[in-house]
């Protein structure tokens, strides 16, 4: 799970260079240790400008930068890449994944999601820890799951989840 954090005011080009350097090192180490790549998944960040950037990248810019970095570093033997949301809102993450799956050029891997915050944030807000809210929370979760399922296919048009899905889940200085 090599993740380049988005804390800072840097442009997307800086994030792309950092992500490419990290992924190249990961695959060099895997090669040095004779890891069978067909049995692995990669769980990286999407390439985007820093959280405090004066010019935040849109979904298409994120997609092009992300796919370009992957093409430069990830062997085609890797079967899948499951993206982290990196603090993007649920909707931003879904739209970026959708754009990644529509990006031009070769994409020999399955490009999908492994979101935590960007899949459950609005669901948890709907639930509020109360049994009476379980059906509403389940409906919100199903809407997010459907949005990401469509984004995985490059067929998401946007708009799932309402206002709660557009709230950022970014936490400055986030530590695992």
């Amino acid at each position: 799970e090599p993740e380049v954090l988005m804390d800072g005011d840097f442009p997307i080009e800086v994030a792309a260079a950092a992500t490419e350097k990290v992924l190249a090192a990961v695959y060099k180490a895997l090669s040095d240790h004779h890891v069978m790549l067909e049995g692995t998944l990669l769980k990286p960040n999407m390439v985007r400008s820093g959280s405090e950037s004066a010019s935040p990248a849109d979904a298409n810019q994120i997609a092009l930068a992300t796919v370009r970095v992957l093409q430069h570093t990830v062997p085609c033997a890797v079967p899948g890449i499951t993206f982290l949301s990196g603090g993007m809102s649920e909707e931003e993450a879904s739209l970026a994944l959708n754009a990644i799956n529509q990006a031009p050029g070769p994409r020999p891997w399955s490009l999908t999601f492994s979101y935590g915050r960007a899949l459950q944030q609005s669901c948890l807000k709907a639930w509020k820890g109360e049994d009476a809210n379980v059906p509403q929370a389940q409906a919100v979760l199903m809407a997010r799951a459907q949005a990401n399922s469509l984004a995985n296919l490059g067929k998401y048009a946007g708009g799932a989840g309402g206002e709660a899905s557009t709230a950022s889940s970014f936490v400055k200085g986030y530590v695992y």
Side-chain angles (χ1 to χ4, degrees):
E1 190 172 307
E3 180 179 15
V4 174
L5 298 178
M6 297 297 123
D7 293 27
D9 61 359
F10 51 85
I12 194 169
E13 294 82 9
V14 170
T19 302
E20 189 163 328
K21 185 174 183 177
V22 167
L23 293 180
V26 165
Y27 284 101
K28 168 75 167 78
L30 291 172
S31 176
D32 289 349
H33 293 282
H34 308 289
V35 171
M36 185 181 79
L37 297 179
E38 293 84 352
T40 67
L41 294 174
L42 176 64
K43 190 175 174 182
N45 55 284
M46 294 180 194
V47 176
R48 59 194 185 95
S49 43
S51 60
E52 298 171 26
S53 174
S55 56
D58 65 26
N60 288 324
Q61 292 169 313
I62 292 168
L64 292 174
T66 300
V67 170
R68 185 173 47 249
V69 165
L70 297 174
Q71 290 168 338
H72 291 177
T73 57
V74 181
C76 61
V78 174
I81 300 171
T82 62
F83 292 103
L84 300 161
S85 61
M88 285 189 274
S89 74
E90 295 170 341
E91 185 68 0
E92 288 171 329
S94 297
L95 290 169
L97 178 62
N98 188 72
I100 286 169
N101 279 298
Q102 292 179 340
R107 298 182 315 272
W109 330 268
S110 173
L111 301 170
T112 191
F113 63 97
S114 180
Y115 308 149
R117 289 177 283 171
L119 187 59
Q120 64 193 9
Q121 180 171 277
S122 61
C123 178
L124 291 172
K125 285 181 181 176
W127 174 48
K128 300 177 188 170
E130 299 192 18
D131 290 346
N133 296 332
V134 167
Q136 180 184 353
Q138 289 174 330
V140 170
L141 179 60
M142 288 302 294
R144 288 284 12 118
Q146 180 65 27
N148 285 299
S149 176
L150 291 170
N152 184 62
L153 300 172
K155 296 180 179 181
Y156 179 58
E163 186 178 321
S165 71
T166 61
S168 174
S169 63
F170 178 76
V171 177
K172 187 173 184 171
Y174 186 77
V175 178
Y176 290 92

